[in-house]
Amino acid sequence: MLQAQVQTEDEGNHGNDDTRCFILSTLASQGRPKVHCVLCEEQLLVFDRYPLVDGTFFLSPRQHAKSCIEVKVEGRTQFLTVVCMGCLEGVNGRAIMCRFCSQKWDGSSLVLGTMYSYDIFAAMPCCTERIKCNACFKPVLHPAQRLNFFSDYSHMVPCPHCRTLDTHFVKPLGFCYTRQLSRSLQLWP
């Protein structure tokens, strides 16, 4: 049985009504009354009141799939992305695991129906591979070090080794995750 956490608070720097208006106006301008889960591609209806979707929206500096919508937030290009409740909970064969350390990604603690202002996959690095520079592939952080806020993992930071400025912690989903189907691991998707 799925246990859903439904609240009307968000982690974004928009107020609740501002967040709702931002999402609804963005989708309306694109002519999209429905959205697709970035993980399983399930089609989700969007409602005009909270919870807005049976899952959660988030903003990422990376376009994880063609269904992600480009938006400008505080002068930065971001992509409005959604994950359905089934994938957040990892139920019915929808669990994804880190392909480097095999840790299951768990989004069950995320608030349903609202929007996070950061990439929810980057915000919880599980191993050293997830904190490596996108250019020189050396760790940007010490493995025991953590950033102060989840949103910090979605910001541009310089690599201490090669000085490349990038969103190093925001990796392509197919690079980081595998999906566990039955008893065998399969590369994403």
Side-chain angles (χ1 to χ4, degrees):
M1 179 175 181
L2 292 177
Q3 291 186 348
Q5 193 178 5
V6 179
Q7 296 179 358
T8 59
E9 306 212 7
D10 68 344
E11 296 289 325
N13 41 358
H14 310 288
N16 284 333
D17 200 46
D18 289 343
T19 300
R20 185 179 68 81
C21 290
F22 170 77
I23 292 170
L24 294 176
S25 64
T26 298
L27 296 175
S29 72
Q30 298 284 316
R32 296 190 187 186
K34 298 175 185 175
V35 291
H36 291 89
C37 175
V38 70
L39 296 177
C40 71
E41 299 180 4
E42 179 180 329
Q43 191 175 59
L44 303 168
L45 291 172
V46 179
F47 303 100
D48 63 352
R49 297 280 177 232
Y50 286 106
L52 296 174
V53 71
D54 189 18
T56 196
F57 287 99
F58 68 94
L59 294 174
S60 176
R62 177 179 294 276
Q63 186 175 16
H64 289 297
K66 290 180 182 177
S67 62
C68 302
I69 301 168
E70 184 175 333
V71 295
K72 289 280 187 196
V73 178
E74 298 175 358
R76 296 182 306 156
T77 299
Q78 299 283 303
F79 293 90
L80 183 62
T81 309
V82 68
V83 178
C84 73
M85 186 170 68
C87 289
L88 288 170
E89 300 276 341
V91 297
N92 299 329
R94 294 185 185 186
I96 60 172
M97 301 169 71
C98 176
R99 62 180 275 243
F100 304 106
C101 70
S102 299
Q103 182 174 324
K104 179 184 169 196
W105 182 80
D106 183 11
S108 63
S109 64
L110 297 171
V111 178
L112 295 175
T114 190
M115 183 186 78
Y116 287 83
S117 61
Y118 55 85
D119 190 303
I120 60 176
F121 296 102
M124 299 179 257
C126 52
C127 65
T128 306
E129 293 296 321
R130 301 289 307 281
I131 59 172
K132 287 186 176 179
C133 172
N134 290 332
C136 72
F137 307 107
K138 293 180 180 175
V140 176
L141 301 173
H142 183 277
Q145 182 183 357
R146 290 294 175 243
L147 298 177
N148 292 329
F149 303 102
F150 290 139
S151 61
D152 289 344
Y153 290 96
S154 293
H155 294 157
M156 304 252 310
V157 295
C159 173
H161 306 284
C162 71
R163 304 285 183 231
T164 300
L165 185 65
D166 199 357
T167 54
H168 297 290
F169 310 111
V170 182
K171 309 282 189 205
L173 295 178
F175 175 76
C176 293
Y177 294 106
T178 60
R179 184 175 294 253
Q180 185 174 4
L181 297 174
S182 303
R183 295 182 182 189
S184 64
L185 283 177
Q186 179 182 44
L187 286 179
W188 188 264

